[in-house]
Amino acid sequence: PMNDEYLQVLVPIAADGKEPLGLMSLDHDIKDNVAQVRGTVQNRTDYAVSALVAVVEFQDTTSRFPQTLEVPIDPKELSPQQVGSFTANATLEQKVAGYLVKFRLADGPFLPHKDDRPTLGITVQ
């Protein structure tokens, strides 16, 4: 039977043993109750990854009307080290308070990702 343990076999592992995906960029345009989230993600593994989707969870200021969208990564198959992009558009019932981005295989498990966005000169100590 298909369960979470079985699905974890489908999660590829990067050569460094860490997250299979790297979030390369993330940007948004939010105005009142309308939001657009754009980003790019890199396949950090040595294997092609197919049918990857970004799962964007939008929250409103009341927390009563969240909205979750699954949008495909373009291109549909990411070769090793290749970068793909995604865009999610949502109109909520109330003002947008924030969003969360995760990645998963279509009809499969979530894949961990590493935040590989540039730090813009900020050094973490």
Side-chain angles (χ1 to χ4, degrees), residues 1 4 20 36 50 52 73-74 78 83 86 89 95 102 114:
D4 289 341
Q36 180 183 66
S50 298
L52 185 63
I73 304 297
D74 183 37
L78 288 180
V83 175
F86 63 92
N89 297 298
K95 276 183 94 168
K102 299 186 283 188
K114 177 180 178 186

Side-chain angles (χ1 to χ4, degrees), residues 89-125:
N89 297 298
T91 301
L92 279 62
E93 294 194 29
Q94 301 290 324
K95 276 183 94 168
V96 177
Y99 59 90
L100 176 68
V101 178
K102 299 186 283 188
F103 302 97
R104 73 181 195 95
L105 297 174
D107 299 322
F110 281 95
L111 301 182
H113 71 275
K114 177 180 178 186
D115 191 345
D116 279 335
R117 293 177 289 171
T119 58
L120 301 176
I122 299 171
T123 304
V124 179
Q125 296 183 1

Side-chain angles (χ1 to χ4, degrees), residues 5 9 14-15 24 35-36 43 49 67 70 72 110 119 123-125:
E5 290 176 16
V9 173
M24 305 304 288
Q36 180 183 66
N43 174 5
V49 176
Q67 187 177 50
E70 291 191 9
F110 281 95
T119 58
T123 304
V124 179
Q125 296 183 1

Side-chain angles (χ1 to χ4, degrees), residues 10-14 19-22 41-54 72-84 103-106 108-112:
L10 300 174
V11 176
I13 298 173
E19 297 87 349
L21 303 175
V41 64
Q42 180 182 30
N43 174 5
R44 298 182 67 246
T45 72
D46 293 334
Y47 310 96
V49 176
S50 298
L52 185 63
V53 295
I73 304 297
D74 183 37
K76 189 172 181 114
E77 179 172 296
L78 288 180
S79 300
Q81 309 308 315
Q82 184 178 9
V83 175
F103 302 97
R104 73 181 195 95
L105 297 174
F110 281 95
L111 301 182

